Structure formats: structure tokens, C-alpha cells
Amino acid sequence: MIALETRSLCKSFGSLAVTQDVSLAFEVGWRYAIIGPNGAGKTTYFNLLAGNLRPDAGSILFSGRDITRLDVTSRARVGIARSFQRNNLFPDFTVRDNLALACALRAGTARVFWRPMRQLTSAHAEADDLAAQVGLTEVLGTAVRHLSYGSQRQLEVALALACKPQVLLLDEPTSGMSPEETSRMRVLIADIPRTLTVIVVEHDMDIVLDFADRIIVLDYGRVLEQGTPAEIRASEVVRERYLGKSALGYSGGHAP
Amino acid sequence: MASRAFVRRSIGLALIVGAVVAQSFAGFFTQELIAEAAILAIFALSLDLLATCGLISFGHAGLLGIGCYVFAGLTVLAGGSPNLAFPVAIVSGGAVAFMVGLFAVRTTGAFFIMVTLAVAEMLYAWGFRSKMFNGADGMGGIPRIDLTAVGIDLNNPGTFALTVIVVCAVIWLLLELVVASPFGRTLAAIRQNPSRVAALGGHVYFYRLAAFTASGMVAALAGAFKVQHINFISPDLVSWFVSGDVLIAVVIGGIGTLVGGPLGATLLVLLKETLSSNLGHWYLFLGMIFAFVALLMPKGIVGYLLDLNDRLAARKRPSECRQTERAT
């Protein structure tokens, strides 16, 4: 079963074609990693998937339904949630308030204006569970602007999880993290239930090779290669264009 | 240490009690001042409700003006009952805000300020030329709501002032409930980060439109009280000076605190009165005082007090930790 699919997706900024004819299908429950050099169009592709950008051509299908014209809000409501490369939170709220609000927005109880927020017990219970899931229980009552960078990254993922999505898009979840925080994030991502389809943009090859069922390599906005980690490791094209000849223990003298 | 909500509500309660007590001892002139302050306080609450979702209007006098013109038109021109005109004025304010909001809340920041200012100036221009309402000269003879059936005579200045204070207090309490509700928290989330609310599946546009509509209803209510209070209507009530005054009241009191608006409104009315009766270029001194307050307390008086409260709480916490360490 295919959860999310793009067909001949194109996007240009002026004369710069950032996404060129990208056709990909994402199977339900699988883990995908999108890699590629800087400027390969990874984040643009993500923004097209999440609805932050409109494609110039091509279509996006979610469970077979055409969602190309839906905006960010509507895509979140059908079940595509994303985290952001840079922390994109509610800084004045506590961790619990951030999560409870996200749960209320998803559950449709956020428009209630005649009862206090604290009476939304299910949203708060869910918030506490999410915090436990990502390891933020100890800082539940802390305002987000006082949180460490790593904890903010964890909350970034937790907010996306609060949408109870079918497809989860994580944009560089470990960027800027310390090695310790990175390993915690690895565990967190590995623990995401298999009912969700997860697509990650990531630079850390250790994480990518460890986590992904399939890896997609973008280069100049095109799909350069896709396959299992082993296939990508073995791919001549990828090695030449992206990983470099010395990467991944490869030492053979291959002259072009 | 007291929570932020507790501090805000204490200030609000103190203001209400202060206004009621002052009103009961006051003579005619002070009663008129108190009524003026209470009406401006309601108006300020409506502006601050909108600020909760991060929108600053510089044309709020337009929505106040809808209340003024609808109430005056229905009572004086159409000869209708003021008791009926009052709710109609409030609903009209909401309806106009909704229609303006349909396109205005698509913008934010400076663009929203310009759109709201433009719409208010349109109403001003219309009022200025309106033959019906006697144009720039204005029109008098606007009646007050008739509550003699329940033993309340609003033509008595003290009773009128007290009634406006009570209405202001009720609106404040209602808005306190709204900002603590999931809806109000979503508005606060939109103020902090609208794009994330959208990414979480929240319809930012509809929340802003709802806030603008509710704000329009409260502003029109203040307008309907305004024309009853001065028994007179002129386009001056819709001028951008009025929008500026209420914005100053909210900013000085503390934007996003609800109670800051009424506090700022009270200070503005009292200062205007004191300065204008004692000084020549009193607006100059008023400006200097407000510039000084803004420099000293960028988050307004209530915002400053809330931060002070937080700092005191933070200072207290480490000492508590030390005590528990010693105990164990």
C-alpha cells in the first residue's frame, strides 16, 4: 500500500529548477531517508510534500487522493505532519501547553471558548504521554524559551507526533545536536510505531544507514538513485557524486 | 509566588473596586470622567482581544463608530427604542468587523494596520459628509437606554457611570474566560507562531476572523455607550485620534494582558483631565509622560508588574532548593 506519492513533481525559483520531475512512492509503514549534497532540493521537496510550497507541475497523492491543491492546514488534517529544520515552537508556552494545544488542534477542541483550557483533560493526558515518549517529562512545566536546544528539537518532533499523522516528515531532526542528544533522538525515531510512514531529511549518514528501509538520493533537484542502504552503499553513481570515494570504507581505486 | 493570572486578576479587581468606590463619593464632574474612562476601558478591551492573536488595529475607531452611528441612527433618526438599538448596534459592529475581516485578516503587521486605518477613514469621510447625521457639525439628542422598569435611571450621571463600570467588569471577566479557553490559547499560539499553528492543522484565518468579529462587537458596544454618554454624535468619534488614544491606553497598560487596557484607559483619561486644566500645551506633556513610561516599561505597566512577579518568584526558588538540601 502506498501512503504518499509524487508524480513528475517540478518546482523552480526563477530560473533555478530546485525540484525536477521527481516521481517517488512511499509505502505505508516504511522508513525513508532523503539525502543529497547541500542545495540538492531536499527541503524544497519536503515543503512541497507538506504544502508549504505549491509545485509548478506534477501531482501529490495521499492514499490515492490528489492533495496537490491542499494547503498546509488541510494536509495536516488529512494526516501529514512535519517537523522543521529550525525550531518552530510556541516559545512563551510551557512544554505541556505546546503539546496540549497541538492535541486540541488535532482533536478539534481548540475552538472551544466557553471552558478553560485546563479542563481539556484528554489533551493534557495525551500531552503528558507524548512528553514521556520523547523524554521531556521533567521539563513539562518549563517555558519553551528556557529549554535547551536539544530539548527543543525533541519537542519539535513531539509536536509533529501530536498530530497523530499517517505520514511523518522530519526535517533534519538531529541538526545542531550534541552527540549525546543525537543518540537520544535516534532512539526516539526508532521507537516511532510502524503504523506511521516516516520520511527523514538527514545529513548524519550513521543515522540514515541505521534507520532507513530505503534511501533516496537527490542531486540538483533530480532523483539520482534510490534503494536499500546496501544498494546505496554499493552504488557507483552515488559514490562518485555524493559520498566521495573514501566514504563508507570504500578504498578501491576506481578511475573515472 | 502568585501566578501571572492571579496578578492580572488582582489588578482588574482593584480597578473595579476603585472605580465603584470613587464613583460613589464623586460629584457630577468626576462621575462623568469615570464613565468616560470606563467606556474607553471597554474599547481598550476590544483592541487587546484582537492583539491576543497578534493583530494590531489602527482603525479601531471605525468599529467604535459603527456602534455610535447605528445607535444614533436607530434612536434619533428612526425613532426606535434605545433598548433595541443597543443590541442591534453590537451585532452591527460584529457584522461589519466580519465583513472587513474577510479580507483584512489575510494581512498582518503593518499591512493590517494600514487596512484597518483605511476602512476607519472611509467611515470618517462618510460621516463628515453625511447630511443625515448633520455632517461635521454633529447631531445631538441621543437618548440613553431606558431601565426605569427595573428601577435604574441611566439619566442620573452616577447611575450611568456605575452601569458602564459593571458592564466593563462583566466584559473583562468574559474575556478572561475566553483567553484561558482552548480558543484563547490558540489565539495566543497564533500570536507566537502562526505558521506552526497551520502546520498543526489549525485554521489561522478563521481564528483571526473570529477574534476580529468578537472585537468588533465589543468596540461597537463601547461606541453605543459613548454616544449615550455625551448625547452627541460627530465624525470626530471615528477619527484616527480615537484609534490612537485607545492604542496608547493598551500599550501603556500592557498589551496582551487584558487588564492593561482598562488601566491605561483610566490613566489616560485622568492625565488628560489634569494636564488640560492646568497646562497650555498639555498634549506635549502627555506625550512626554507616555514616552517615558514606554521607555521604562516596554511591556506596559501590567507587563512590567508581571515580569517583576516572575523575577521575584525566580529569586525565591533557589533559596527553597537550598533549604530542602539542608533538610535532607
Side-chain angles (χ1 to χ4, degrees), chain A residues 147-225:
Chain A
L147 226 51
S148 72
Y149 178 82
S151 300
Q152 290 190 10
R153 291 305 288 154
Q154 286 166 291
L155 181 59
E156 185 63 47
V157 175
L159 275 186
L161 282 171
C163 299
K164 285 197 179 160
Q166 292 166 48
V167 176
L168 182 63
L169 310 172
L170 302 176
D171 197 353
E172 298 196 24
T174 65
S175 75
M177 276 186 153
S178 69
E180 194 185 318
E181 288 167 339
T182 302
S183 63
R184 210 183 304 147
M185 183 60 82
R186 275 170 89 155
V187 175
L188 161 59
I189 296 173
D191 283 348
I192 292 172
R194 275 278 164 178
T195 48
L196 269 75
T197 310
V198 184
I199 309 172
V200 175
V201 166
E202 186 54 71
H203 277 302
D204 188 330
M205 284 310 291
D206 284 345
I207 295 188
V208 169
L209 294 170
D210 176 55
F211 148 90
D213 301 317
R214 289 185 77 79
I215 296 174
I216 295 142
V217 187
L218 289 184
D219 193 24
Y220 292 109
R222 289 181 190 282
V223 179
L224 186 67
E225 190 78 88

Side-chain angles (χ1 to χ4, degrees), chain A residues 72-73 76-77 82 84 88-93 97 101-102 105 109-113 115-117 120 156 159-160 163, chain B residues 9 177-178 180-186 188-204 207 310:
Chain A
V72 177
T73 308
R77 300 206 80 90
R82 71 169 298 179
F84 291 81
N88 196 356
L89 308 160
F90 306 114
D92 294 348
F93 284 3
D97 286 354
L101 189 88
L105 281 168
T109 46
R111 65 178 85 93
V112 170
F113 61 86
R115 276 195 306 163
M117 180 78 193
L120 289 187
E156 185 63 47
L159 275 186
C163 299
Chain B
R9 285 167 195 177
L177 291 177
V178 168
S181 73
F183 174 78
R185 298 298 282 171
T186 307
I190 289 171
R191 175 177 52 73
Q192 295 170 61
N193 193 344
S195 67
R196 189 61 192 245
V197 172
L200 292 171
H203 294 284
V204 173
Y207 282 96
D310 285 353

Side-chain angles (χ1 to χ4, degrees), chain B:
Chain B
M1 205 72 219
S3 77
R4 291 173 74 91
F6 180 79
V7 174
R8 283 192 296 119
R9 285 167 195 177
S10 305
I11 296 170
L13 208 62
L15 266 179
I16 295 167
V17 171
V20 170
V21 170
Q23 183 280 136
S24 61
F25 288 109
F28 167 76
F29 190 69
T30 314
Q31 281 171 341
E32 290 294 289
L33 270 187
I34 290 171
E36 189 189 337
I39 292 168
L40 187 59
I42 297 174
F43 191 29
L45 282 172
S46 87
L47 189 67
D48 205 22
L49 171 64
L50 189 59
T52 311
C53 66
L55 294 174
I56 309 291
S57 161
F58 194 52
H60 232 47
L63 295 171
L64 180 96
I66 296 296
C68 297
Y69 276 99
V70 169
F71 188 85
L74 284 177
T75 53
V76 179
L77 299 180
S81 149
N83 296 15
L84 188 68
F86 191 66
V88 173
I90 294 170
V91 172
S92 306
V96 170
F98 177 81
M99 286 185 288
V100 172
L102 280 175
F103 60 91
V105 301
R106 291 189 182 279
T107 65
T108 53
F111 294 102
F112 184 75
I113 287 176
M114 283 300 130
V115 170
T116 49
L117 176 62
V119 171
E121 287 298 292
M122 278 158 62
L123 183 65
Y124 176 80
W126 172 81
F128 201 83
R129 292 166 156 270
S130 164
K131 290 211 169 61
M132 248 191 324
F133 289 95
N134 215 11
D137 292 339
M139 182 180 80
I142 295 156
R144 291 185 178 174
I145 294 174
D146 183 8
L147 292 178
T148 43
V150 287
I152 298 172
D153 177 19
L154 287 186
N155 288 316
N156 176 317
T159 314
F160 185 77
L162 191 61
T163 307
V164 182
I165 293 168
V166 169
V167 171
C168 181
V170 169
I171 291 172
W172 172 64
L173 283 172
L174 285 175
L175 293 185
E176 275 286 331
L177 291 177
V178 168
V179 296
S181 73
F183 174 78
R185 298 298 282 171
T186 307
L187 292 183
I190 289 171
R191 175 177 52 73
Q192 295 170 61
N193 193 344
S195 67
R196 189 61 192 245
V197 172
L200 292 171
H203 294 284
V204 173
Y205 173 71
F206 293 106
Y207 282 96
R208 283 191 171 141
L209 187 57
F212 194 55
T213 305
S215 176
M217 290 173 75
V218 178
L221 184 147
F225 266 141
K226 185 79 194 170
V227 287
Q228 288 180 64
H229 180 224
I230 59 178
N231 293 331
F232 184 75
I233 186 165
S234 81
D236 286 347
L237 292 173
V238 197
S239 92
W240 64 270
F241 254 76
V242 178
S243 301
D245 270 354
V246 74
L247 195 57
I248 288 173
V250 171
V251 169
I252 291 302
I255 204 159
T257 61
L258 277 189
V259 75
L263 180 67
T266 311
L267 290 177
L268 185 67
V269 169
L270 292 180
L271 271 174
K272 262 187 173 183
E273 190 48 43
T274 324
L275 292 177
S276 66
S277 52
N278 295 314
L279 290 165
H281 300 288
W282 60 277
Y283 234 104
L284 175 72
F285 292 99
L286 191 70
M288 279 161 60
I289 290 173
F290 284 145
F292 187 67
V293 173
L295 277 173
L296 211 64
M297 301 180 259
K299 289 182 183 173
I301 297 167
V302 177
Y304 176 80
L305 292 174
L306 289 171
D307 283 357
L308 190 70
N309 176 61
D310 285 353
R311 274 204 299 279
L312 289 174
R315 199 176 297 168
K316 204 172 170 188
R317 216 170 288 127
S319 67
E320 276 169 5
C321 291
R322 248 175 273 133
Q323 276 165 6
T324 48
E325 272 168 21
R326 230 176 280 139
T328 47

Side-chain angles (χ1 to χ4, degrees), chain A residues 40-111:
Chain A
K42 304 182 295 284
T43 294
T44 301
Y45 185 64
F46 244 47
N47 285 334
L48 289 168
L49 288 180
N52 299 86
L53 289 173
R54 285 283 162 84
D56 299 330
S59 56
I60 305 168
L61 283 82
F62 177 77
S63 306
R65 178 186 163 198
D66 191 330
I67 58 161
T68 317
R69 315 258 13 122
L70 294 188
D71 64 5
V72 177
T73 308
S74 310
R75 288 195 204 184
R77 300 206 80 90
V78 297
I80 301 173
R82 71 169 298 179
S83 75
F84 291 81
Q85 190 178 347
R86 290 195 200 140
N87 290 334
N88 196 356
L89 308 160
F90 306 114
D92 294 348
F93 284 3
T94 62
V95 171
R96 181 185 272 122
D97 286 354
N98 266 264
L99 291 168
L101 189 88
C103 296
L105 281 168
R106 187 211 68 237
T109 46
R111 65 178 85 93

